[in-house]
Amino acid sequence: QKTSICYLSFPDSYSGGLGDTQFSFRLRQAGGPRNSPFQDDGKYNREAPVTLQREAAHYFGYVYFRQVKDSSMRRGYFQKSLVLVSRLPYVNLFQCLLQLIAPEYFDKLEPCLEAVCNEIDQWPPPVPGQTLNLPVMGVVIQVRIPSRVDKPGSSPVKQCNQENLLPAPLVLPSVHELDLFRCFQPVLIHIQMLWELMLLGEPMVVMAPSPTVSSELVLALTSCLAPLRYCCDFRPYFTIHDSEFKEYTTRTQAPPNIVVGVTNPFFIKTLQHWPHILRVVELRMSGDLPKQVKVKKLAKLKTLDTKPGIYTSYKTFLHKDKTLIKRLLKGIQRKRPSEVQSALLRRHLLELTQSFIIPLEHYMASLMPLQRAITPWKNPPQIRPFCQEDFMKSLEHAGPQLTCVLKGDWLGLYRRFFKSPNFDGWFRQRHREMTQKLEALHLEAICEADIVAWMKDKSEVEIVDLVLKLREKLVRARCQHLPVKEETLQRVSLYIDTIIGSLPEDLQAVLHHP
């Protein structure tokens, strides 16, 4: 794993550029599950947006690479990287942190890192919804950690902290949001197609001139489904030394559901059997709409001298949204700042995703049993099964056409989506949340019931069975952090004690000390 991190921390193809560059990668964890240094029993993941949850099986690496001429070195260059490894996808925060630390580290080496680590050790853990002040090297980084209850698409809440921080803090507008307009510069007219490919979890290769372009473009692509979680694998930067290299380049099976960013021209040859390949050149922000890549046939993919383009035979289900391009063009002509253009783009993608997902959310909610069907002395009723055909019928009167002006084959897009890992991930999460809600409602129904009346005609065996079931429910509610008020749990606990108190002493002793 350390070797993989080392290979991923350097450009893997010739880079004539001198100076400092930053990029990121994502790495599959080797071996079994590891304990995180923050034992928060999953509290962070329950409160964070699904797109910002802490990863259990992957690490993110954030790199600051320096390459300068140095005649004292054997190769004639000073080449060094400082890498920050985390389970959190806070690309902005960690890259900003590296901009502060890395230049100092390259000059002063280990003692500087030790001082920085001591400062970072004192940082509070990230709590969704809170604004954190993070002191490092004489600077205070101020950043708000997004929360699941934030309204999607709303601008970050401006929080005025009471303490007068001196020096004035370095305020980051977002822990993770990239400059989408800059990242998507060469493919703005194809944003619809790229959104569909991401939604369907299609295998895609991003071939870029540098790890910076590669990693930013891959992260931008996977973020364009927010607030829906991209449930497939993704590698913002991938090298030929990676342990999964054989798995991805084999032609004996279909490519996996993954977006992979590469820079080595060798990949043009080894990955040309993949169905969607996006080739881009170095991004240059100019005062005009940058040259847009064309969609080309996969057969035109030549080795080494491959021109920029989207090499695919994919036909989009939805029609292109020309109004978005017109608005972005107008923004370029009026010299609107990049962050304003990015906000426009992000809003468009959010509305598109919401138009697609809201009918699914409504249908899923209709599968929940009625509250009156939940009775205290029976197991809670089951959630009805998801029937694709019933869902399709519901689209006639409650489909995306209610919230989206885009025309096209929405039904075809849903059918294809049902086969993707993104549907599977979304459905599992929703089903889990609904099951927990049912459990919570059942506990509340038990609290409202007249337990003494129920016990009158029951045998000791039935009463003991009830005690054991209630205990199990209580343990589950606490372990799974069900959405139940603490007073409800305390009342159930009191119920259990009341029931045990009504039993003969020998049974009481057994139930008090099982």
Side-chain angles (χ1 to χ4, degrees):
Q1 199 152 312
K2 279 182 182 173
T3 308
S4 290
I5 290 172
C6 289
Y7 277 124
L8 287 164
S9 302
F10 291 94
D12 77 334
S13 54
Y14 171 72
S15 167
L18 295 177
D20 296 357
T21 51
Q22 289 184 263
F23 56 93
S24 51
F25 60 82
R26 184 169 172 269
L27 178 74
R28 191 186 289 174
Q29 177 185 288
R34 302 270 159 80
N35 285 335
S36 154
F38 298 110
Q39 292 305 321
D40 70 348
D41 68 17
K43 187 172 188 290
Y44 170 82
N45 275 7
R46 284 195 304 280
E47 295 176 1
V50 288
T51 51
L52 286 183
Q53 288 176 337
R54 186 180 277 130
E55 295 240 4
H58 291 86
Y59 295 115
F60 290 95
Y62 303 96
V63 183
Y64 191 106
F65 170 66
R66 173 169 288 181
Q67 175 169 286
V68 287
K69 279 189 173 161
D70 185 342
S71 53
S72 68
M73 297 283 187
R74 191 163 58 88
R75 299 171 72 180
Y77 286 100
F78 168 93
Q79 291 173 310
K80 202 160 204 164
S81 284
L82 182 63
V83 190
L84 193 151
V85 177
S86 171
R87 292 189 186 279
L88 293 165
Y90 294 170
V91 60
N92 284 0
L93 173 60
F94 293 137
Q95 292 293 17
C96 167
L97 182 59
L98 284 170
Q99 282 165 19
L100 297 170
I101 305 169
E104 283 285 308
Y105 164 67
F106 293 140
D107 289 343
K108 297 174 185 163
L109 302 178
E110 262 66 26
C112 152
L113 270 195
E114 199 174 326
V116 164
C117 288
N118 285 335
E119 285 187 288
I120 293 175
D121 277 345
Q122 305 304 312
W123 286 5
V127 177
Q130 280 192 13
T131 295
L132 304 183
N133 293 310
L134 310 171
V136 64
M137 294 179 64
V139 177
V140 175
I141 303 173
Q142 190 176 87
V143 70
R144 182 181 179 274
I145 306 298
S147 160
R148 193 172 287 202
V149 296
D150 294 345
K151 187 166 172 276
S154 61
S155 55
V157 183
K158 296 272 184 293
Q159 296 218 348
C160 301
N161 282 18
Q162 299 309 307
E163 44 199 314
N164 292 323
L165 292 167
L166 288 170
L170 171 61
V171 181
L172 293 188
S174 162
V175 280
H176 68 292
E177 285 183 347
L178 295 162
D179 183 341
L180 281 192
F181 180 66
R182 187 172 54 79
C183 296
F184 285 140
Q185 280 276 302
V187 291
L188 287 168
I189 61 169
H190 306 297
I191 214 79
Q192 193 84 27
M193 175 193 273
L194 294 171
W195 176 83
E196 283 189 25
L197 291 173
M198 292 299 102
L199 182 74
L200 302 174
E202 286 286 311
M204 182 188 277
V205 185
V206 172
M207 292 183 173
S210 69
T212 308
V213 176
S214 146
S215 59
E216 286 196 339
L217 195 42
V218 170
L219 290 177
L221 285 166
T222 56
S223 75
C224 72
L225 295 183
L228 188 68
R229 182 183 190 150
Y230 179 74
C231 296
C232 307
D233 201 354
F234 60 98
R235 299 299 158 89
Y237 172 52
F238 186 78
T239 76
I240 56 174
H241 305 287
D242 204 287
S243 56
E244 279 113 37
F245 178 74
K246 280 201 178 83
E247 186 185 321
Y248 296 164
T249 53
T250 178
R251 289 170 186 247
T252 56
Q253 58 196 57
N257 300 91
I258 180 173
V259 184
V260 60
V262 300
T263 61
N264 193 326
F266 179 66
F267 279 110
I268 296 174
K269 191 174 178 187
T270 55
L271 295 179
Q272 62 187 169
H273 61 294
W274 279 46
H276 319 286
I277 295 172
L278 170 56
R279 176 96 158 111
V280 291
V281 291
E282 200 63 56
L283 303 178
R284 282 189 180 81
M285 292 292 269
S286 60
D288 209 353
L289 183 69
K291 190 172 181 199
Q292 299 292 290
V293 304
K294 293 190 169 77
V295 175
K296 303 182 177 187
K297 292 191 170 68
L298 279 160
K300 292 203 170 163
L301 199 65
K302 302 210 173 58
T303 42
L304 299 183
D305 64 340
T306 297
K307 300 221 167 7
I310 301 178
Y311 293 83
T312 180
S313 55
Y314 181 80
K315 298 280 179 282
T316 57
F317 286 91
L318 305 180
H319 303 163
K320 203 175 274 187
D321 186 355
K322 291 186 179 143
T323 53
L324 173 72
I325 300 301
K326 283 177 186 162
R327 287 172 77 188
L328 291 172
L329 264 173
K330 194 181 277 183
I332 291 170
Q333 285 153 7
R334 292 181 178 173
K335 298 191 165 47
R336 261 194 222 128
S338 187
E339 55 268 25
V340 178
Q341 296 279 70
S342 279
L344 248 172
L345 199 46
R346 191 169 275 111
R347 161 71 50 194
H348 169 80
L349 291 166
L350 171 72
E351 286 172 358
L352 193 53
T353 301
Q354 284 182 322
S355 294
F356 183 81
I357 217 76
I358 285 169
L360 281 162
E361 298 278 6
H362 283 165
Y363 174 72
M364 195 75 187
S366 74
L367 304 178
M368 186 82 164
L370 295 172
Q371 198 156 344
R372 64 167 180 266
I374 300 167
T375 56
W377 316 122
K378 283 185 185 165
N379 284 334
Q382 297 287 303
I383 297 163
R384 289 195 300 282
F386 190 105
C387 172
Q388 291 182 14
E389 289 313 312
D390 286 354
F391 167 72
M392 291 301 202
K393 283 177 198 155
S394 77
L395 292 176
E396 288 169 25
H397 51 84
Q401 70 278 7
L402 298 181
T403 52
C404 189
V405 293
L406 279 189
K407 299 282 187 284
D409 182 10
W410 286 96
L411 294 183
L413 188 59
Y414 279 114
R415 286 192 200 282
R416 204 54 191 267
F417 177 66
F418 289 142
K419 296 174 186 160
S420 81
N422 288 327
F423 170 71
D424 188 57
W426 171 83
F427 176 75
R428 282 167 188 266
Q429 186 204 336
R430 279 287 170 273
H431 199 275
R432 186 165 56 246
E433 285 168 2
M434 286 165 70
T435 306
Q436 291 182 342
K437 178 74 178 155
L438 270 178
E439 280 281 332
L441 290 169
H442 192 225
L443 275 171
E444 280 163 23
I446 289 167
C447 279
E448 300 302 317
D450 183 345
I451 200 121
V452 179
W454 180 84
M455 282 165 53
K456 272 182 187 160
D457 58 345
K458 298 294 181 288
S459 68
E460 280 177 7
V461 173
E462 287 173 296
I463 292 170
V464 169
D465 187 49
L466 176 68
V467 169
L468 298 176
K469 278 183 177 162
L470 286 180
R471 266 204 187 134
E472 189 189 332
K473 271 189 170 299
L474 211 50
V475 169
R476 198 160 58 232
R478 292 198 191 281
C479 290
Q480 294 181 1
H481 303 275
L482 295 185
V484 189
K485 294 186 195 121
E486 183 55 36
E487 61 184 280
T488 303
L489 298 179
Q490 285 171 358
R491 279 176 69 186
V492 172
S493 195
L494 203 64
Y495 263 26
I496 293 171
D497 292 342
T498 307
I499 299 167
I500 292 174
S502 71
L503 292 167
E505 282 182 14
D506 56 336
L507 274 176
Q508 282 189 38
V510 171
L511 288 169
H512 277 310
H513 306 285

